[in-house]
Amino acid sequence: MAALRALAASRLAVTPWFAPRPGLWPLPFGGPAPSSRAALHASAPRPGPRVAVVLSGCGVYDGTELHEASSILVHLSRGGAEVQIFAPDVPQMHVIDHIKGQPSEGETRNVLTESARIARGKITDLAKLTAVNHDAAIFPGGFGAAKNLSTFAVDGGTCKVNRDVERVLKEFHQAGKPIGLCCIAPVLAAKVLRGVEVTVGHEQEEGGKWPHAGTAEVIKALGAKHCVMGVTEAHVDQKNKVVTTPAFMCDTALHHIHDGIGAMVRKVLELTGR
């Protein structure tokens, strides 16, 4: 063992790029780092938009749609946004066995605790979210938006929206800050923001491609305007600064969902003006 240590030490000693030159920090590939004086003259990076992402649990049938949440976070990261994740500290409506597609009898879960799985533990109670500290808010879909953020899954157009979700939507809207929603989440805006324009995709099922097309009629009944859009597109309500995309309201390949969410995120970031 001692011989091996000695051999390794000798190899390092004769490898020139392991040895730092005076006044320079060593870099992994041997290139000189900028001096501290040069760093002082570099332009400070401009902080990106501060975006709140609001989750509704973990799992498509009783919480947040994970692919949508991940796609949103990827596009926000690529867009240089500073992200903070929130969820309400409330019980889930119920827990769904995602293999059987049926409720798990006697089991209860908390929306904030479950959402923390997606946030890798870095999550904040939605009650603490204010428009003052953020430039935009984005709501992924999943049945949690219709079960935990509202009662839409049970009550349809007569649904109630979670108190903090309603407050956040109204605060950002009144502050003129953009709101992004995808999949079923646009019904939250349709319920809370009178006369808003949103999309959940097409208005006909088209042989099963748009299995939730009937949602468009409920949106209209709420007094909102429904705009027909493709899955890779995002609709921008310029007046209300609300951006929506169909996502998994369409039965299609995952990369199309990802592209549509990217269009939504880019429009939201543009509307922040940052």
Side-chain angles (χ1 to χ4, degrees), residues 16-149:
W17 64 273
F18 277 104
R21 288 152 51 194
L24 296 177
W25 293 99
L27 291 179
F29 297 103
S35 68
S36 57
R37 183 174 181 180
L40 290 174
H41 292 279
S43 299
R46 185 179 180 183
R50 297 163 298 176
V51 181
V53 175
V54 181
L55 304 182
S56 60
C58 181
V60 58
Y61 298 131
D62 58 13
T64 306
E65 212 299 319
L66 275 79
H67 298 293
E68 292 178 8
S70 295
S71 183
I72 287 168
L73 295 173
V74 167
H75 286 295
L76 286 172
S77 176
R78 182 168 287 140
E82 298 178 19
V83 177
Q84 188 173 5
I85 302 175
F86 296 84
D89 186 5
V90 297
Q92 289 186 184
M93 173 184 154
H94 58 190
V95 178
I96 297 292
D97 181 324
H98 278 57
I99 295 177
K100 298 178 180 178
Q102 298 175 350
S104 298
E105 298 298 332
E107 187 174 356
T108 60
R109 296 189 184 185
N110 178 275
V111 175
L112 180 62
T113 302
E114 289 300 295
S115 298
R117 295 174 181 272
I118 301 173
R120 298 172 62 85
K122 297 179 180 179
I123 196 163
T124 305
D125 187 345
L126 184 61
K128 298 179 181 179
L129 172 57
T130 67
V132 173
N133 298 321
H134 295 83
D135 301 303
I138 295 181
F139 293 75
F143 278 94
K147 293 179 177 180
N148 304 327
L149 303 188

Side-chain angles (χ1 to χ4, degrees), residues 207-252:
K209 183 177 180 180
W210 298 90
H212 310 290
T215 306
E217 293 304 315
V218 182
I219 286 172
K220 294 176 187 178
L222 288 170
K225 179 180 179 181
H226 183 260
C227 303
V228 174
M229 303 293 287
V231 69
T232 61
E233 301 175 302
H235 177 73
V236 182
D237 180 343
Q238 294 285 355
K239 178 182 176 182
N240 293 296
K241 290 190 176 181
V242 172
V243 188
T244 50
T245 191
F248 277 105
M249 297 298 273
C250 181
D251 185 6
T252 188

Side-chain angles (χ1 to χ4, degrees), residues 154-203:
V154 175
D155 301 323
T158 61
C159 69
K160 294 181 180 179
V161 175
N162 172 277
R163 180 178 60 185
D164 281 315
V165 172
E166 181 174 1
R167 174 186 58 79
V168 166
L169 288 170
K170 288 181 175 178
E171 278 188 16
F172 276 81
H173 182 252
Q174 290 167 3
K177 295 184 176 182
I179 300 166
L181 310 100
C182 67
C183 195
I184 192 64
V187 300
L188 301 172
K191 180 67 177 181
V192 174
L193 307 177
R194 184 64 61 182
V196 71
E197 297 177 4
V198 299
T199 187
V200 289
H202 288 199
E203 297 179 355

